Amino acid sequence: MSHFSTWVLMAFLTLLSSPAGEELFEVKMWPEWPVVETGKDLQINCSTNCTHPGKGGIETRNINTTLQKEGTHWKVFHLSNFSQNTNIFCYFICSNIQKKKSVNVIVYRPPEQVTLSLQPAWVIVGKNFTLTCHVANVVPLEKLTLTLFQGTEKLYHQTFVTVSAALQDAWLTLNVTARREDSKSNFSCRAELDLRPHIEQLFFAISEPKMLEIFEPSGNNQMLVIIIMTILLLLVFVISVCLCFAYGQHWRQHRTGGYGVLAAWRNYRTRCS
C-alpha cells in the first residue's frame, strides 16, 4: 500500500473515531451588528448547533452582564453600562473543544441640539459673513454629516474623522460673500447621524433658521455716511480740546495754588484791556 493510501485510510479512521460534530459546530450571535445608544441597555443572544453543548457564556470588558434566559443551545444576556465601542465574545464548549464568536458593539449618541450663528446678521453687498454650525455630544463622529442650507438649497456639507471614542462636539464654519439676492434669506444647519447598515434609522436634527439682512449703499447713502462720520470726528475733536484745557488748568492750579491762578487771570485781563 502506498504512503498516500495509508494516509487517507488513517484520516478516515480518525474521523470515524471522533465524536460527531466536535469540529464542525458553530457559535452564533444575534444581532450580528449590534448598536446601542450611550447609557442604554442591549440584549445579546448566543447560540450553538452542537448536539450536546457543555459550558457556554459571554466575555466582555467593563460591561455589566446578566444572564436572562437560556435553553440547551442558546443563552440570552442583558448588557448595560455602554460608554464606548466594545468587543463582545460568546463561547460554547462541545466535546472538550471551545469555540468563540465576536461582535463589535457600536455605541452612538444622536444629534439632539443644533445651533447656527450668523455673523454679522446685517452686511453690505460684497462683504463677507460667517455661518457657524455647532452640534454637542455626538458619537461616532465619522458617521456624522453637517449640511448648511440657504432656504432649501445646499451650500456646503462636511464629514468628520473620529479622534476619540468619547462624546465629541462637531463644528462647521463657512465664509460667504453677500449678494444682493441673499437679502432676507433664511440659513439653517442639518446634522445627520447615519448608522446604516447597522441600523436603518437615520438620526437628524435641524437648527433654528437665521435671516440675513443685506444693505446696498447708494450714492446718497454714501454721502450721508461721510457727513455723519465728519460730524462724529469734529465732536471727538472738540471734546478732546475741552478735556485738555480743563486738565491743564487743574495741573497749573495744583502747581501754583489758587493765588497763582488769580494772578494769571488778572494779567490776562490787563493785556486784553
Side-chain angles (χ1 to χ4, degrees):
M1 183 178 293
S2 66
H3 292 292
F4 177 75
S5 300
T6 302
W7 181 85
V8 171
L9 179 59
M10 291 179 63
F12 178 71
L13 293 175
T14 301
L15 287 175
L16 290 178
S17 61
S18 300
E22 71 174 6
E23 295 182 357
L24 300 179
F25 82 97
E26 296 180 347
V27 177
K28 295 184 177 181
M29 298 179 70
W30 188 89
E32 296 181 278
W33 299 285
V35 294
V36 59
E37 187 174 350
T38 304
K40 299 295 181 65
D41 300 343
L42 177 67
Q43 284 189 338
I44 293 290
N45 186 308
C46 301
S47 61
T48 181
N49 59 356
C50 175
T51 306
H52 302 289
K55 183 180 178 181
I58 195 168
E59 296 178 356
T60 65
R61 182 175 296 179
N62 300 325
I63 301 296
N64 297 329
T65 304
T66 303
L67 177 62
Q68 277 196 326
K69 299 178 183 179
E70 65 177 328
T72 304
H73 303 89
W74 56 271
K75 297 177 184 291
V76 176
F77 296 92
H78 180 265
L79 290 79
S80 60
N81 193 36
F82 285 95
S83 60
Q84 60 184 20
N85 295 353
T86 306
N87 282 321
I88 297 177
F89 298 86
C90 277
Y91 69 90
F92 278 96
I93 297 176
C94 184
S95 300
N96 295 323
I97 296 177
Q98 177 177 293
K99 285 190 176 182
K100 291 183 178 182
K101 176 72 174 180
S102 68
V103 295
N104 182 43
V105 179
I106 296 179
V107 178
Y108 71 93
R109 174 78 175 271
E112 296 178 351
Q113 185 175 8
V114 184
T115 57
L116 178 68
S117 65
L118 174 61
Q119 294 293 334
W122 182 93
V123 66
I124 298 175
V125 171
K127 299 297 183 179
N128 286 344
F129 62 95
T130 302
L131 296 167
T132 303
C133 181
H134 174 230
V135 184
N137 297 329
V138 181
V139 72
L141 208 59
E142 73 271 15
K143 300 293 185 179
L144 180 71
T145 301
L146 295 183
T147 306
L148 291 171
F149 287 88
Q150 181 177 356
T152 59
E153 177 187 356
K154 290 184 180 181
L155 287 180
Y156 186 77
H157 75 275
Q158 181 173 320
T159 55
F160 300 87
V161 177
T162 294
V163 295
S164 171
L167 296 177
Q168 300 175 73
D169 288 7
W171 298 84
L172 169 58
T173 301
L174 181 67
N175 293 318
V176 185
T177 301
R179 305 170 300 174
R180 184 181 298 105
E181 56 268 28
D182 293 333
S183 184
K184 305 296 183 181
S185 291
N186 282 324
F187 294 88
S188 60
C189 181
R190 176 185 172 100
E192 294 183 353
L193 189 68
D194 189 356
L195 298 177
R196 292 174 294 186
H198 304 288
I199 185 173
E200 290 301 320
Q201 184 176 359
L202 180 67
F203 302 95
F204 69 92
I206 303 176
S207 70
E208 292 291 331
K210 298 288 185 179
M211 179 178 290
L212 179 68
E213 295 284 351
I214 298 293
F215 175 71
E216 184 176 4
S218 62
N220 294 333
N221 289 333
Q222 290 180 351
M223 183 59 66
L224 179 62
V225 170
I226 293 174
I227 293 173
I228 292 174
M229 292 299 296
T230 303
I231 294 174
L232 290 176
L233 289 175
L234 288 174
L235 183 61
V236 170
F237 175 75
V238 172
I239 293 174
S240 300
V241 170
C242 293
L243 290 176
C244 288
F245 178 77
Y247 177 76
Q249 291 299 321
H250 176 75
W251 179 80
R252 177 174 295 178
Q253 182 178 3
H254 180 73
R255 287 284 305 271
T256 62
Y259 294 104
V261 174
L262 182 58
W265 173 248
R266 288 174 177 172
N267 289 335
Y268 176 74
R269 292 184 60 184
T270 302
R271 291 178 183 178
C272 292
S273 61

